[in-house]
Amino acid sequence: MAWMPVLIISVFWIEGLYQRRLPFWEETQRILKALFMSFTGVLALVSVWKISGLVSRAVILETGILTLIFIPLVRSYWKPFLHQKGLGIEKLLIIGDEKYLNLVAFGLSRDHYMGLRATGWIRTSPTDAPVHPVIDKE
């Protein structure tokens, strides 16, 4: 029965849940969609392959309902915990006009879930003034 978790992980991969950094609610929506598709696929394969004597469809349904609740909850606590430990952090250099630099830096500082950290910025001017890099060293 090792094909069941492989199917679920594959659907998570196809949905981009391991490759992309998404805001909490968008990621949760994709997780719920992936879990629904996964467990629908598992139930369909159990029925088509006629292995319901080996695998209880009721257990699959209960497992599916529990994972719809627990996987988003666990991920919502686990990712920020890993980011506090320095794992999964992507450091960014922001380039732009001063008013947009502050806005982007503020937005990134408020959304710790995505793991994006602004470590420096380069101010540009609307005119042809020279660019002055300012890098914040942590």
Side-chain angles (χ1 to χ4, degrees):
M1 298 302 151
W3 60 271
M4 290 182 195
V6 169
L7 176 67
I8 295 167
I9 291 170
S10 299
V11 173
F12 271 50
W13 185 270
I14 291 167
E15 280 296 310
L17 292 167
Y18 297 127
Q19 303 102 324
R20 297 185 191 126
R21 294 175 186 271
L22 301 169
F24 174 76
W25 289 111
E26 187 175 341
E27 182 177 83
T28 301
Q29 181 182 15
R30 286 186 185 218
I31 288 170
L32 296 177
K33 177 182 172 187
L35 287 171
F36 181 76
M37 290 187 323
S38 299
F39 281 96
T40 302
V42 167
L43 284 170
L45 291 174
V46 165
S47 296
V48 169
W49 291 343
K50 297 181 180 167
I51 57 173
S52 58
L54 299 172
V55 180
S56 169
R57 287 177 282 209
V59 170
I60 292 172
L61 190 60
E62 291 169 2
T63 304
I65 291 170
L66 288 174
T67 58
L68 285 172
I69 297 167
F70 286 114
I71 287 182
L73 279 175
V74 168
R75 254 179 109 125
S76 71
Y77 289 106
W78 186 247
K79 283 179 75 171
F81 173 76
L82 291 176
H83 294 161
Q84 286 177 348
K85 302 294 181 192
L87 299 170
I89 298 291
E90 186 75 31
K91 295 181 180 179
L92 303 174
L93 176 66
I94 304 170
I95 302 172
D97 193 11
E98 178 115 20
K99 63 181 176 178
Y100 297 114
L101 286 176
N102 294 331
L103 185 63
V104 170
F106 178 71
L108 290 174
S109 70
R110 290 197 58 192
D111 193 353
H112 294 285
Y113 188 79
M114 290 178 60
L116 300 173
R117 304 293 183 262
T119 58
W121 57 88
I122 298 176
R123 290 185 189 101
T124 59
S125 165
T127 63
D128 291 325
V131 175
H132 302 284
V134 177
I135 298 179
D136 179 28
K137 303 213 179 195
E138 290 184 15

